[in-house]
Amino acid sequence: MNTLFLYFFRLLIVASFVVFFVGLFKTEWLRFRGKQMEVMSAVVLSIALFMIGFTGASRTYYTVDEHVTEAAKEGIVLSEATYSNDVATAGCQAGSKSGNAGASDDEKTDDGVYYSVRTPANYNDTIAHPLLMVYAPAGKDRSQTEDFTYLTKEATAAGFIVAYADHRALSPEAVVQLANIPKVVEEKWCIDKKRIFMTGHSDGGTIAMGIAFFNGTKHIPTAIAPSAVGITGEDLADRNCVKPTPVMLMHSSRDKLFPNFGKHAIEWWAKCNKCDTKTYKVTDRKAISGAGGWESYYQQELAQKAEDLKAGKPLPHTTPVEGVEGCVAYSGCKNGVQTWYCEGTGMHPEWPGKNKDIIGFFKAVQTN
């Protein structure tokens, strides 16, 4: 429904320009109650249509589903964690961390990035908790991102501390600044350094992925689950691989802003994780000779790869993940590192809503 509203408001914006130019140059085409509209009235109408369309489109761009609506009604819900060996380990001396249990809304890094922290309702400051970092899509702050992803309730129930960061415009500097938040959180709350997990949508997903492969930050995340990332295969082509990293990459086959970026990005991760991936080659390379021969080979390779990675088609060397709808896993990955691709059908602005699966993916990550 929100997607329909988005298109409606965009149509109003287009209509505003039509009315404006027709009103200036072909006023006789505009009639109201059988009378020709005056130029000034046409201009006022076009401005009104534009304002309604622009305001409505901006408010509905990042859509909310029924889960978000219910989360908004409930407000911030902190669950009690069931502390057990699989979600928590002893790690901090009692009273050594100053962070409070519950919700902390106005935390700030030295770089001026605001973030909020959510702990389990029964937070124990002697237990080292896994940290779930959630990075914001463009135009959203930490509070809006919490409402948008509605991860707090389920994550705290699973024993995670959750931190939501304000959006920062994409840049290498922003990646470094946002990557510093886990360290700052650890100064006040009892965090397990070996279990730092990251997710985010659109710009937030791009940030989470960038942190995982930037030279100065790649050591921070234990695993990532980015959504709707704006990174292409070409962007990653000249990047050096990092150590095998569990990745659950979510992307929609109907994403018009970053069409099919997800499949090309997960192929890069699969190769870095030493998974089984398809090798693209012409049967007899020796037969290629003369001017343009290798260019022809390269074009055949790209054409075959594009066909294999089409939206909606199964990825080579993957199998469906049992019990996780829409997700496939690569086989043969080094050290059994999980490498998942989850393809949805929503528009780009929609959070995939796979919260239970995201948390389950992170909980299953093995650390030494």
Side-chain angles (χ1 to χ4, degrees), residues 71-115:
K73 291 178 181 177
E74 294 176 348
I76 298 172
V77 177
L78 305 174
S79 302
E80 289 195 356
T82 301
Y83 289 117
S84 58
N85 291 334
D86 65 330
V87 296
T89 57
C92 302
Q93 292 184 351
S96 65
K97 301 292 183 179
S98 61
N100 296 321
S104 300
D105 291 316
D106 296 312
E107 302 297 318
K108 186 180 179 182
T109 69
D110 290 340
D111 293 314
V113 181
Y114 281 94
Y115 65 96

Side-chain angles (χ1 to χ4, degrees), residues 142-221:
R142 56 199 182 281
S143 177
Q144 293 167 321
T145 301
E146 182 173 19
D147 290 341
F148 176 63
T149 60
Y150 53 93
L151 278 159
T152 298
K153 185 176 182 179
E154 289 174 290
T156 52
F160 287 74
I161 288 176
V162 190
Y164 297 93
D166 280 0
H167 176 261
R168 280 286 173 101
L170 291 177
S171 67
E173 293 76 18
V175 172
V176 174
Q177 291 171 358
L178 291 165
N180 191 49
I181 295 177
K183 180 181 178 181
V184 180
V185 173
E186 182 199 338
E187 293 172 357
K188 296 181 66 175
W189 285 272
C190 194
I191 301 296
D192 184 349
K193 296 179 182 179
K194 293 183 178 180
R195 292 185 293 168
I196 306 295
F197 305 110
M198 297 181 175
T199 188
H201 186 76
S202 192
D203 275 13
T206 302
I207 288 291
M209 186 182 289
I211 292 172
F213 65 68
F214 269 36
N215 285 334
T217 60
K218 62 187 180 183
H219 64 283
I220 299 173

